[in-house]
Amino acid sequence: MYADYDLAATGRAIADPTRAAMLLRLMDGRAHTAGDLARSAGVSASAASAHLRHLVDAGLIAVTIAGRRRLHLLASTEVANAIEALAMVSPLLPVENLRQARTGSRLQVARACYSHLGGRLAVAITGVLVSDGVITALLPRASGEIRSFDHPLLRSLGISRVATGSAPAVRGCPDWTEGTPHLAGRLGSAVMAAMLEQGWLNRRPRDRALAITDAGATRLAGLGVWPAA
């Protein structure tokens, strides 16, 4: 028998700068080695292992085996949603060096928000799809509807349907840099996957920022989604 949720236990697991940095790194939706997460958090491999055990024990991170490698990823979509919600009520970290300033600027433009896009590009895409009647207006953390797939952006990305699944087809995800919801849900995941597959976006090796390629910028500008260079 239980009295209520033990929010303090989850809070203790997250309430460490190293573990918080690891969780944010995993918000790119991919699996990472302990060494990769150690470098992201700026700690030694031995220190990273102890922090990762803590996060695994708390149910926030899952471990999968790929050959001889142990890979770490967020345990569930619910964990990703919780991290994004906490980001909306958390203060921003001050910039202490040029590398951090550049990373922050890249994250504001485009980033992986677990399975979908975040940042200015995500908000711009969402605005176009809403104004053109493709999806209903989005509210934070609320489900929406797809009204049509007949749109130049979706056709260019080869999206004519979304995969089945338990997640909503469309969901509004709070964007911590833009202050307005961006597209999440199965359609949001399909858009990011297609943009990466077609080379409109590239992943960066050390953070969850996404680089808009020259080809992607040209296509997005032609579709009226992104300003021309």
Side-chain angles (χ1 to χ4, degrees), residues 6-211:
D6 189 358
L7 293 179
T10 303
R12 286 192 295 271
I14 298 174
D16 178 275
T18 296
R19 293 196 289 273
M22 290 176 169
L23 289 170
L24 288 173
R25 183 69 179 96
L26 290 169
M27 280 294 287
D28 67 356
R30 298 193 295 172
H32 292 272
T33 64
D36 184 21
L37 294 172
R39 287 188 291 273
S40 297
V43 297
S44 66
S46 58
S49 295
H51 285 295
L52 287 169
R53 282 196 300 272
H54 196 136
L55 291 169
V56 170
D57 291 344
L60 300 176
I61 285 181
V63 179
T64 184
I65 306 299
R68 296 183 177 181
R69 298 193 306 165
R70 287 171 56 86
L71 299 175
H72 304 79
L73 66 163
L74 294 183
S76 66
T77 302
E78 288 73 21
V79 173
N81 292 342
I83 293 171
E84 188 68 20
L86 285 172
M88 295 297 295
V89 297
S90 300
L92 296 175
L93 287 169
V95 171
E96 298 179 348
N97 53 55
L98 182 58
R99 181 183 63 82
Q100 290 178 346
R102 288 173 174 168
T103 298
S105 295
R106 291 194 295 261
L107 289 172
Q108 290 178 24
V109 173
R111 62 182 180 274
C113 184
Y114 196 50
S115 65
H116 58 272
L117 287 173
R120 286 201 297 272
L121 176 59
V123 170
I125 289 172
T126 303
V128 167
L129 295 180
V130 170
S131 64
D132 290 350
V134 174
I135 59 175
T136 54
L138 299 181
L139 297 175
R141 290 179 288 277
S143 298
E145 296 180 359
I146 302 174
R147 290 176 169 168
S148 173
F149 287 98
D150 185 17
H151 189 272
L153 173 62
L154 299 185
R155 288 197 299 270
S156 296
L157 293 172
I159 299 173
S160 58
R161 61 184 179 86
V162 292
T164 59
S166 57
V170 172
R171 181 175 65 84
C173 180
D175 195 292
W176 60 270
T177 55
E178 298 302 297
T180 187
H182 59 240
L183 173 64
R186 286 176 282 142
L187 180 58
S189 298
V191 168
M192 186 175 82
M195 292 181 75
L196 287 166
E197 182 179 349
Q198 295 196 24
W200 295 18
L201 297 173
N202 282 335
R203 291 188 185 271
R204 294 184 182 272
R206 299 186 183 279
D207 55 54
R208 66 186 188 283
L210 299 170

